[in-house]
Amino acid sequence: MNLPGTFTLGPGDGSARTGRLTTAHGEIETPVFMPVGTQGTVKSLCPDDLRTIGARIILGNTYHLYLRPGDELVAKMGGLHRFMAWDGPILTDSGGFQVFSLSGLRRITEEGVTFSSHIDGSKHLFSPEKVISIERNLGSDIMMVLDECVPYGADRAYTEKSLGLTTRWATRCRAAHAPLDRGQLLFGIVQGGFFKDLRAESARQLIDLAFEGYALGGLSVGESRAEMYDILYDATPLLPADKPRYLMGVGAPRDLLAGMAAGIDMFDCVLPTRNARNGTLFTFQGKVNIKRAEYREDDSPLEADCPCYACRTFSKAYLRHLYVARELLSYRLNTLHNLTFFSRFMAQARQAIREGRFEAFRTAMEAAYPETDA
Ligand SMILES: O=c1[nH]cnc2cc3nc(NCCN4CCOCC4)[nH]c3cc12
Ligand SMILES: [Zn+2]
């Protein structure tokens, strides 16, 4: 068994690549999509479901788990793997993004970011050292540094100033967690907004800090697809080729394809789980809005060749009924299907890259997911 942090590249196709990342809780084949388990659960699924649908690594949110039930409690319960009975790899983000998107009254200083809890309004400080301590308590296999996700539309001066703070925070995170300590990996997050030279500067500064992997942050923050792709294609090659590259918060099938084409190895997004709960289902023929009247008497499965329990057992008519009736089983079946689709989509993408036919795969999938449809 390789040491955690070992990243071995497999066959590639253009800039798209396959790889294998070793973590303390197992190996991950890349490119990989990570289902989001915000509060220590991938909503409506149990760990057995995650194994059945082929999930290899899941994401937990440091911000949420710190506020509730508390990272010290999770540590006392043996860490997040034991607490949630998931023995596969877990990546925890640093919480910075959630602080900006969820909490009120936040203030950024050199020390860190102070904020009030969205749950009870209590005051908290996330410093680089505090965030690393929380992620170490959770026992995550891959920890993310504390960074500032620069808001979309920030001007150059603000973006440049923020980049410097993000690097100083990354430096403090690295100092707080020695490489591979307890088998826990630490990834840096490149910022720099939508300024290519600032992105290059951020990447250069973080590469000097020798992280075990590198993420592109500050994207999927409200920009147009063209703006995201412009930065994606320009910044990804700046990340070390021999380390995992993670595009945070992405995304829709079309964006996964673009990310893989650019050389991204890891993705996470709430899309498949959140859309499952609002009746939007993903298939290889495109999206299905299960609440549509056209499915009212449709006795056929959602996707004939999908191996998931929902498709093997129930008709579209029944899935539609459950959704319209707001039955709890709707969340579970729709989530089982959507995550099975994302898992199959990534497995087919990996195979296409290995066989040198990724562009053909991308073209076929983009036909099912046209620009307007994401
Ligand atoms: O710079 C970042 N630093 C640390 N974490 C992040 C997480 C991020 N997540 C998104 N986008 C998520 C967009 N979602 C798309 C689907 O609907 C919900 C929002 N962008 C992100 C940027 C960062
Ligand atoms: Zn299915």
mmCIF file of all heavy atoms in Angstrom, residues 225 229 252-255 257-258 282-288 341 345 358-374:
data_model
loop_
_atom_site.group_PDB
_atom_site.id
_atom_site.type_symbol
_atom_site.label_atom_id
_atom_site.label_comp_id
_atom_site.label_asym_id
_atom_site.label_seq_id
_atom_site.Cartn_x
_atom_site.Cartn_y
_atom_site.Cartn_z
ATOM 1 N N ARG A 225 -20.244 31.103 -17.721
ATOM 2 C CA ARG A 225 -19.470 29.884 -18.056
ATOM 3 C C ARG A 225 -18.201 30.272 -18.799
ATOM 4 O O ARG A 225 -17.121 29.740 -18.539
ATOM 5 C CB ARG A 225 -20.384 28.987 -18.886
ATOM 6 C CG ARG A 225 -19.798 27.672 -19.234
ATOM 7 C CD ARG A 225 -20.850 26.678 -19.684
ATOM 8 N NE ARG A 225 -21.222 25.762 -18.617
ATOM 9 C CZ ARG A 225 -22.479 25.495 -18.277
ATOM 10 N NH1 ARG A 225 -23.473 26.117 -18.869
ATOM 11 N NH2 ARG A 225 -22.735 24.626 -17.333
ATOM 12 N N TYR A 229 -14.443 29.288 -17.678
ATOM 13 C CA TYR A 229 -13.580 28.472 -18.540
ATOM 14 C C TYR A 229 -12.290 29.210 -18.902
ATOM 15 O O TYR A 229 -11.226 28.613 -18.985
ATOM 16 C CB TYR A 229 -14.333 28.064 -19.818
ATOM 17 C CG TYR A 229 -15.430 27.045 -19.615
ATOM 18 C CD1 TYR A 229 -15.867 26.681 -18.330
ATOM 19 C CD2 TYR A 229 -16.075 26.444 -20.696
ATOM 20 C CE1 TYR A 229 -16.890 25.761 -18.146
ATOM 21 C CE2 TYR A 229 -17.097 25.505 -20.519
ATOM 22 C CZ TYR A 229 -17.492 25.173 -19.236
ATOM 23 O OH TYR A 229 -18.513 24.257 -19.065
ATOM 24 N N ALA A 252 -21.911 20.985 -12.775
ATOM 25 C CA ALA A 252 -22.837 20.384 -13.750
ATOM 26 C C ALA A 252 -22.048 19.515 -14.739
ATOM 27 O O ALA A 252 -20.849 19.761 -14.951
ATOM 28 C CB ALA A 252 -23.549 21.503 -14.506
ATOM 29 N N PRO A 253 -22.706 18.523 -15.365
ATOM 30 C CA PRO A 253 -21.992 17.636 -16.301
ATOM 31 C C PRO A 253 -21.127 18.376 -17.309
ATOM 32 O O PRO A 253 -19.963 18.033 -17.518
ATOM 33 C CB PRO A 253 -23.139 16.873 -16.968
ATOM 34 C CG PRO A 253 -24.190 16.802 -15.913
ATOM 35 C CD PRO A 253 -24.124 18.110 -15.182
ATOM 36 N N ARG A 254 -21.667 19.449 -17.883
ATOM 37 C CA ARG A 254 -20.905 20.198 -18.899
ATOM 38 C C ARG A 254 -19.618 20.765 -18.311
ATOM 39 O O ARG A 254 -18.570 20.793 -18.961
ATOM 40 C CB ARG A 254 -21.806 21.317 -19.437
ATOM 41 C CG ARG A 254 -21.376 21.860 -20.770
ATOM 42 C CD ARG A 254 -22.360 22.916 -21.275
ATOM 43 N NE ARG A 254 -21.902 23.412 -22.553
ATOM 44 C CZ ARG A 254 -22.175 22.845 -23.734
ATOM 45 N NH1 ARG A 254 -22.927 21.753 -23.776
ATOM 46 N NH2 ARG A 254 -21.709 23.329 -24.860
ATOM 47 N N ASP A 255 -19.698 21.197 -17.050
ATOM 48 C CA ASP A 255 -18.531 21.806 -16.409
ATOM 49 C C ASP A 255 -17.533 20.755 -15.943
ATOM 50 O O ASP A 255 -16.322 21.010 -15.934
ATOM 51 C CB ASP A 255 -18.992 22.668 -15.225
ATOM 52 C CG ASP A 255 -19.911 23.790 -15.670
ATOM 53 O OD1 ASP A 255 -19.763 24.268 -16.822
ATOM 54 O OD2 ASP A 255 -20.801 24.173 -14.888
ATOM 55 N N LEU A 257 -16.927 18.099 -17.668
ATOM 56 C CA LEU A 257 -16.227 17.781 -18.923
ATOM 57 C C LEU A 257 -15.157 18.827 -19.219
ATOM 58 O O LEU A 257 -14.013 18.505 -19.550
ATOM 59 C CB LEU A 257 -17.232 17.714 -20.074
ATOM 60 C CG LEU A 257 -18.245 16.566 -20.012
ATOM 61 C CD1 LEU A 257 -19.402 16.828 -20.971
ATOM 62 C CD2 LEU A 257 -17.577 15.227 -20.321
ATOM 63 N N ALA A 258 -15.524 20.102 -19.049
ATOM 64 C CA ALA A 258 -14.556 21.185 -19.312
ATOM 65 C C ALA A 258 -13.388 21.084 -18.333
ATOM 66 O O ALA A 258 -12.223 21.251 -18.699
ATOM 67 C CB ALA A 258 -15.251 22.536 -19.183
ATOM 68 N N PHE A 282 -30.751 13.502 -13.370
ATOM 69 C CA PHE A 282 -29.748 13.498 -14.434
ATOM 70 C C PHE A 282 -29.714 12.118 -15.094
ATOM 71 O O PHE A 282 -29.707 11.099 -14.395
ATOM 72 C CB PHE A 282 -28.362 13.826 -13.855
ATOM 73 C CG PHE A 282 -28.231 15.243 -13.346
ATOM 74 C CD1 PHE A 282 -28.623 15.567 -12.058
ATOM 75 C CD2 PHE A 282 -27.738 16.243 -14.173
ATOM 76 C CE1 PHE A 282 -28.517 16.878 -11.583
ATOM 77 C CE2 PHE A 282 -27.617 17.557 -13.703
ATOM 78 C CZ PHE A 282 -28.014 17.869 -12.406
ATOM 79 N N THR A 283 -29.703 12.091 -16.434
ATOM 80 C CA THR A 283 -29.568 10.821 -17.150
ATOM 81 C C THR A 283 -28.590 11.038 -18.307
ATOM 82 O O THR A 283 -28.241 12.181 -18.636
ATOM 83 C CB THR A 283 -30.916 10.356 -17.756
ATOM 84 O OG1 THR A 283 -31.184 11.162 -18.930
ATOM 85 C CG2 THR A 283 -32.052 10.487 -16.748
ATOM 86 N N PHE A 284 -28.168 9.966 -18.951
ATOM 87 C CA PHE A 284 -27.243 10.096 -20.091
ATOM 88 C C PHE A 284 -27.932 10.700 -21.310
ATOM 89 O O PHE A 284 -27.284 11.080 -22.292
ATOM 90 C CB PHE A 284 -26.605 8.742 -20.422
ATOM 91 C CG PHE A 284 -25.491 8.371 -19.483
ATOM 92 C CD1 PHE A 284 -25.729 7.571 -18.378
ATOM 93 C CD2 PHE A 284 -24.213 8.888 -19.666
ATOM 94 C CE1 PHE A 284 -24.704 7.258 -17.486
ATOM 95 C CE2 PHE A 284 -23.180 8.575 -18.786
ATOM 96 C CZ PHE A 284 -23.426 7.761 -17.684
ATOM 97 N N GLN A 285 -29.260 10.848 -21.226
ATOM 98 C CA GLN A 285 -29.979 11.515 -22.328
ATOM 99 C C GLN A 285 -30.302 12.963 -21.951
ATOM 100 O O GLN A 285 -30.999 13.655 -22.672
ATOM 101 C CB GLN A 285 -31.295 10.768 -22.629
ATOM 102 C CG GLN A 285 -31.099 9.453 -23.408
ATOM 103 C CD GLN A 285 -30.379 8.402 -22.589
ATOM 104 O OE1 GLN A 285 -30.755 8.187 -21.437
ATOM 105 N NE2 GLN A 285 -29.353 7.781 -23.149
ATOM 106 N N GLY A 286 -29.835 13.398 -20.786
ATOM 107 C CA GLY A 286 -30.110 14.772 -20.379
ATOM 108 C C GLY A 286 -30.917 14.806 -19.083
ATOM 109 O O GLY A 286 -31.104 13.786 -18.416
ATOM 110 N N LYS A 287 -31.396 16.006 -18.736
ATOM 111 C CA LYS A 287 -32.119 16.156 -17.471
ATOM 112 C C LYS A 287 -33.584 15.742 -17.625
ATOM 113 O O LYS A 287 -34.184 15.949 -18.683
ATOM 114 C CB LYS A 287 -32.077 17.627 -17.040
ATOM 115 C CG LYS A 287 -30.839 18.044 -16.293
ATOM 116 C CD LYS A 287 -31.084 19.432 -15.720
ATOM 117 C CE LYS A 287 -29.817 20.241 -15.642
ATOM 118 N NZ LYS A 287 -30.083 21.645 -15.290
ATOM 119 N N VAL A 288 -34.124 15.196 -16.555
ATOM 120 C CA VAL A 288 -35.564 14.849 -16.509
ATOM 121 C C VAL A 288 -36.171 15.579 -15.321
ATOM 122 O O VAL A 288 -35.675 15.463 -14.192
ATOM 123 C CB VAL A 288 -35.753 13.324 -16.330
ATOM 124 C CG1 VAL A 288 -37.218 13.001 -16.000
ATOM 125 C CG2 VAL A 288 -35.313 12.578 -17.588
ATOM 126 N N PHE A 341 -25.783 8.317 -11.297
ATOM 127 C CA PHE A 341 -25.464 8.902 -12.609
ATOM 128 C C PHE A 341 -24.093 9.592 -12.572
ATOM 129 O O PHE A 341 -23.240 9.353 -13.444
ATOM 130 C CB PHE A 341 -26.545 9.899 -13.060
ATOM 131 C CG PHE A 341 -26.114 10.701 -14.253
ATOM 132 C CD1 PHE A 341 -26.122 10.126 -15.527
ATOM 133 C CD2 PHE A 341 -25.620 11.980 -14.104
ATOM 134 C CE1 PHE A 341 -25.674 10.843 -16.637
ATOM 135 C CE2 PHE A 341 -25.167 12.712 -15.204
ATOM 136 C CZ PHE A 341 -25.189 12.133 -16.476
ATOM 137 N N PHE A 345 -21.055 8.570 -14.815
ATOM 138 C CA PHE A 345 -20.552 9.592 -15.749
ATOM 139 C C PHE A 345 -19.031 9.703 -15.613
ATOM 140 O O PHE A 345 -18.290 9.695 -16.610
ATOM 141 C CB PHE A 345 -21.232 10.927 -15.412
ATOM 142 C CG PHE A 345 -20.874 12.082 -16.286
ATOM 143 C CD1 PHE A 345 -21.548 12.310 -17.475
ATOM 144 C CD2 PHE A 345 -19.865 12.966 -15.923
ATOM 145 C CE1 PHE A 345 -21.234 13.406 -18.279
ATOM 146 C CE2 PHE A 345 -19.540 14.056 -16.718
ATOM 147 C CZ PHE A 345 -20.227 14.271 -17.897
ATOM 148 N N PHE A 358 -11.637 10.845 -25.291
ATOM 149 C CA PHE A 358 -12.343 11.751 -24.367
ATOM 150 C C PHE A 358 -13.137 12.808 -25.129
ATOM 151 O O PHE A 358 -14.269 13.147 -24.781
ATOM 152 C CB PHE A 358 -11.361 12.427 -23.397
ATOM 153 C CG PHE A 358 -12.054 13.393 -22.460
ATOM 154 C CD1 PHE A 358 -12.878 12.917 -21.445
ATOM 155 C CD2 PHE A 358 -11.934 14.766 -22.639
ATOM 156 C CE1 PHE A 358 -13.558 13.803 -20.606
ATOM 157 C CE2 PHE A 358 -12.613 15.656 -21.802
ATOM 158 C CZ PHE A 358 -13.423 15.169 -20.782
ATOM 159 N N GLU A 359 -12.549 13.373 -26.205
ATOM 160 C CA GLU A 359 -13.262 14.441 -26.928
ATOM 161 C C GLU A 359 -14.589 13.922 -27.500
ATOM 162 O O GLU A 359 -15.598 14.619 -27.480
ATOM 163 C CB GLU A 359 -12.378 15.033 -28.027
ATOM 164 C CG GLU A 359 -11.486 16.162 -27.509
ATOM 165 C CD GLU A 359 -12.230 17.175 -26.592
ATOM 166 O OE1 GLU A 359 -13.291 17.709 -27.009
ATOM 167 O OE2 GLU A 359 -11.773 17.388 -25.445
ATOM 168 N N ALA A 360 -14.576 12.665 -27.970
ATOM 169 C CA ALA A 360 -15.830 12.091 -28.511
ATOM 170 C C ALA A 360 -16.846 11.939 -27.387
ATOM 171 O O ALA A 360 -18.039 12.259 -27.556
ATOM 172 C CB ALA A 360 -15.536 10.736 -29.152
ATOM 173 N N PHE A 361 -16.375 11.499 -26.211
ATOM 174 C CA PHE A 361 -17.265 11.362 -25.049
ATOM 175 C C PHE A 361 -17.834 12.735 -24.670
ATOM 176 O O PHE A 361 -19.028 12.903 -24.447
ATOM 177 C CB PHE A 361 -16.491 10.748 -23.879
ATOM 178 C CG PHE A 361 -17.281 10.674 -22.583
ATOM 179 C CD1 PHE A 361 -18.294 9.728 -22.426
ATOM 180 C CD2 PHE A 361 -17.037 11.578 -21.549
ATOM 181 C CE1 PHE A 361 -19.039 9.668 -21.233
ATOM 182 C CE2 PHE A 361 -17.772 11.525 -20.368
ATOM 183 C CZ PHE A 361 -18.774 10.578 -20.209
ATOM 184 N N ARG A 362 -16.950 13.736 -24.678
ATOM 185 C CA ARG A 362 -17.372 15.091 -24.292
ATOM 186 C C ARG A 362 -18.430 15.612 -25.270
ATOM 187 O O ARG A 362 -19.471 16.150 -24.853
ATOM 188 C CB ARG A 362 -16.162 16.023 -24.277
ATOM 189 C CG ARG A 362 -16.501 17.449 -23.892
ATOM 190 C CD ARG A 362 -15.281 18.337 -23.845
ATOM 191 N NE ARG A 362 -15.639 19.664 -23.350
ATOM 192 C CZ ARG A 362 -14.797 20.707 -23.307
ATOM 193 N NH1 ARG A 362 -13.536 20.546 -23.716
ATOM 194 N NH2 ARG A 362 -15.184 21.877 -22.849
ATOM 195 N N THR A 363 -18.192 15.412 -26.557
ATOM 196 C CA THR A 363 -19.153 15.891 -27.578
ATOM 197 C C THR A 363 -20.508 15.215 -27.393
ATOM 198 O O THR A 363 -21.558 15.862 -27.418
ATOM 199 C CB THR A 363 -18.591 15.596 -28.983
ATOM 200 O OG1 THR A 363 -17.308 16.208 -29.104
ATOM 201 C CG2 THR A 363 -19.523 16.114 -30.070
ATOM 202 N N ALA A 364 -20.485 13.908 -27.151
ATOM 203 C CA ALA A 364 -21.751 13.176 -26.985
ATOM 204 C C ALA A 364 -22.497 13.671 -25.746
ATOM 205 O O ALA A 364 -23.705 13.913 -25.781
ATOM 206 C CB ALA A 364 -21.461 11.681 -26.860
ATOM 207 N N MET A 365 -21.774 13.881 -24.654
ATOM 208 C CA MET A 365 -22.429 14.315 -23.410
ATOM 209 C C MET A 365 -22.914 15.759 -23.516
ATOM 210 O O MET A 365 -23.946 16.132 -22.977
ATOM 211 C CB MET A 365 -21.450 14.180 -22.231
ATOM 212 C CG MET A 365 -21.224 12.734 -21.805
ATOM 213 S SD MET A 365 -22.712 11.955 -21.141
ATOM 214 C CE MET A 365 -23.335 11.116 -22.553
ATOM 215 N N GLU A 366 -22.170 16.580 -24.260
ATOM 216 C CA GLU A 366 -22.605 17.983 -24.404
ATOM 217 C C GLU A 366 -23.876 18.077 -25.236
ATOM 218 O O GLU A 366 -24.680 18.996 -25.071
ATOM 219 C CB GLU A 366 -21.475 18.836 -25.009
ATOM 220 C CG GLU A 366 -20.348 19.092 -24.011
ATOM 221 C CD GLU A 366 -19.272 20.015 -24.545
ATOM 222 O OE1 GLU A 366 -19.162 20.154 -25.774
ATOM 223 O OE2 GLU A 366 -18.546 20.602 -23.720
ATOM 224 N N ALA A 367 -24.093 17.055 -26.075
ATOM 225 C CA ALA A 367 -25.344 17.045 -26.854
ATOM 226 C C ALA A 367 -26.524 16.807 -25.904
ATOM 227 O O ALA A 367 -27.600 17.371 -26.070
ATOM 228 C CB ALA A 367 -25.280 15.948 -27.915
ATOM 229 N N ALA A 368 -26.268 16.006 -24.860
ATOM 230 C CA ALA A 368 -27.345 15.710 -23.897
ATOM 231 C C ALA A 368 -27.507 16.851 -22.890
ATOM 232 O O ALA A 368 -28.560 17.037 -22.286
ATOM 233 C CB ALA A 368 -27.039 14.402 -23.160
ATOM 234 N N TYR A 369 -26.426 17.615 -22.725
ATOM 235 C CA TYR A 369 -26.445 18.730 -21.758
ATOM 236 C C TYR A 369 -26.042 20.010 -22.477
ATOM 237 O O TYR A 369 -24.940 20.524 -22.293
ATOM 238 C CB TYR A 369 -25.512 18.410 -20.581
ATOM 239 C CG TYR A 369 -26.131 17.385 -19.679
ATOM 240 C CD1 TYR A 369 -25.917 16.027 -19.884
ATOM 241 C CD2 TYR A 369 -27.015 17.768 -18.672
ATOM 242 C CE1 TYR A 369 -26.537 15.075 -19.087
ATOM 243 C CE2 TYR A 369 -27.646 16.827 -17.881
ATOM 244 C CZ TYR A 369 -27.404 15.480 -18.100
ATOM 245 O OH TYR A 369 -28.029 14.546 -17.309
ATOM 246 N N PRO A 370 -26.959 20.554 -23.285
ATOM 247 C CA PRO A 370 -26.611 21.754 -24.062
ATOM 248 C C PRO A 370 -26.285 22.937 -23.145
ATOM 249 O O PRO A 370 -26.694 22.962 -21.983
ATOM 250 C CB PRO A 370 -27.872 22.031 -24.877
ATOM 251 C CG PRO A 370 -28.962 21.246 -24.253
ATOM 252 C CD PRO A 370 -28.339 20.104 -23.528
ATOM 253 N N GLU A 371 -25.574 23.889 -23.671
ATOM 254 C CA GLU A 371 -25.101 25.072 -22.937
ATOM 255 C C GLU A 371 -26.161 25.626 -21.998
ATOM 256 O O GLU A 371 -25.944 25.848 -20.824
ATOM 257 C CB GLU A 371 -24.708 26.151 -23.976
ATOM 258 C CG GLU A 371 -24.243 27.461 -23.386
ATOM 259 C CD GLU A 371 -22.856 27.361 -22.757
ATOM 260 O OE1 GLU A 371 -22.105 26.495 -23.184
ATOM 261 O OE2 GLU A 371 -22.577 28.129 -21.834
ATOM 262 N N THR A 372 -27.364 25.762 -22.529
ATOM 263 C CA THR A 372 -28.424 26.416 -21.717
ATOM 264 C C THR A 372 -28.776 25.540 -20.513
ATOM 265 O O THR A 372 -29.184 25.995 -19.476
ATOM 266 C CB THR A 372 -29.709 26.532 -22.570
ATOM 267 O OG1 THR A 372 -29.910 25.246 -23.186
ATOM 268 C CG2 THR A 372 -29.549 27.608 -23.619
ATOM 269 N N ASP A 373 -28.512 24.215 -20.704
ATOM 270 C CA ASP A 373 -29.064 23.283 -19.729
ATOM 271 C C ASP A 373 -28.073 22.949 -18.622
ATOM 272 O O ASP A 373 -28.401 22.343 -17.641
ATOM 273 C CB ASP A 373 -29.453 21.986 -20.472
ATOM 274 C CG ASP A 373 -30.693 21.392 -19.826
ATOM 275 O OD1 ASP A 373 -31.278 22.127 -19.009
ATOM 276 O OD2 ASP A 373 -31.027 20.250 -20.108
ATOM 277 N N ALA A 374 -26.777 23.335 -18.845
ATOM 278 C CA ALA A 374 -25.687 22.985 -17.914
ATOM 279 C C ALA A 374 -25.563 21.471 -17.815
ATOM 280 O O ALA A 374 -24.898 20.960 -17.013
ATOM 281 C CB ALA A 374 -25.954 23.577 -16.525
#
